[in-house]
Amino acid sequence: MNTARLRSTVRKSGSRLGPGSFVRVRRRPTGLGILTFALVAGLALVSAPAHAEPTGPDVSSWQHGGGRPIDWFSVRAAGHRFAMVKATEGLDYVNPFFVQDSLQMRLAGMARGTYHYARPELPPEPQAALYATIVLGQNGPLDLPPVLDIEHSGGLAPGALIDWTHRYLNTVQTLTGRVPIVYTYPRFWQTAMADSDQFHRYPLWIADYRDRAEPEVPGRWPAWTFWQQTDSGSIPGIHGNTDINVYSGAQGDFARFARMGGLTGSG
């Protein structure tokens, strides 16, 4: 999500269906028997999860080159259940496609995550207030918790940056009523944040593009919640490359975590 590195955000994993059910027919099948068999088999398929691990892209204005819209219905049809959308940066930047993407994601039935790109050289509380205002609280149906994207130190030493991060997260939680997610990548956290272990109560979204079974987790976090696995993925409905993320299950049932019981969200 570092705009300086022109990163998109999206990735997907393959679908998995659970084992099917078998029905032993001892008599010559009648019309009713065939219908019963079809219904049982169909219910077994419908009840199987479409994805063992929910996936989704994260996007910003970079995925709207030339003003082109994202086709969120195609993204959802490709199997993705959520997307993270850049909302704000610093004290005065608002993603010009934020409202458009938020509304169309809702119509497509996708859960929405939103993030603020941190500028630690500027005070944290006004940045948190800008973000919370633009996303309208990030506290409704189909809303994932708010996200702080921290991958730039702003010239602060580790102690000062750790304090800045605490202040931002505390302010966002006060304004939204939800525990925020922290997005970062291993090397940044290990150096700029001195590999701090003070943030374990916040879910971790980690960027690690190496081909491995699990991402590298800095700061002795007990678990990762989202893993950004690539910055060069391809998803129907999104022009060009995009980041792709997977949910680990660390926060429990995804539908509950994303408040997917409603049809519309807060923004």
Side-chain angles (χ1 to χ4, degrees), residues 15-178:
S15 304
R16 300 177 187 171
L17 293 178
S21 300
F22 295 89
V23 178
R24 186 182 298 276
V25 180
R26 297 183 181 277
R27 296 172 297 147
R28 177 177 298 176
T30 63
L32 179 59
I34 292 172
L35 177 60
T36 301
F37 178 85
L39 287 172
V40 170
L43 286 172
L45 288 174
V46 169
S47 62
H51 286 286
E53 300 168 333
T55 58
D58 61 271
V59 301
S60 66
S61 61
W62 293 107
Q63 281 70 47
H64 290 274
R68 290 176 296 189
I70 292 173
D71 181 351
W72 288 107
F73 288 91
S74 293
V75 176
R76 182 67 185 92
H80 300 287
R81 296 179 62 188
F82 69 88
M84 307 292 197
V85 183
K86 181 174 183 176
T88 53
E89 177 177 336
L91 292 173
D92 56 8
Y93 175 81
V94 177
N95 174 9
F97 299 95
F98 176 74
V99 173
Q100 172 183 316
D101 283 336
S102 293
L103 292 175
Q104 292 179 0
M105 287 169 60
R106 292 298 198 275
L107 292 174
M110 296 184 66
R112 179 190 71 157
T114 65
Y115 68 91
H116 175 79
Y117 186 90
R119 289 295 181 185
E121 67 272 20
L122 301 171
E125 290 84 3
Q127 294 190 56
L130 171 66
Y131 165 82
T133 300
I134 295 300
V135 303
L136 299 180
Q138 193 66 24
N139 203 16
L142 291 176
D143 276 339
L144 286 160
V147 177
L148 171 64
D149 175 358
I150 184 160
E151 50 185 297
H152 172 67
S153 72
L156 300 183
L161 186 58
I162 289 169
D163 177 69
W164 187 101
T165 304
H166 276 302
R167 289 165 57 194
Y168 178 93
L169 295 171
N170 288 338
T171 304
V172 162
Q173 183 169 352
T174 297
L175 293 173
T176 66
R178 303 190 74 181

Side-chain angles (χ1 to χ4, degrees), residues 199-243:
F199 296 88
H200 291 179
R201 77 183 197 89
Y202 302 102
L204 175 65
W205 176 12
I206 192 70
D208 188 345
Y209 307 150
R210 292 168 292 181
D211 185 12
R212 49 194 298 164
E214 295 282 333
E216 180 180 0
V217 176
R220 293 178 289 282
W221 248 286
W224 58 271
T225 294
F226 290 101
W227 177 10
Q228 188 181 85
Q229 297 177 311
T230 183
D231 63 351
S232 57
S234 177
I235 290 180
I238 299 178
H239 297 281
N241 291 340
T242 183
D243 304 334

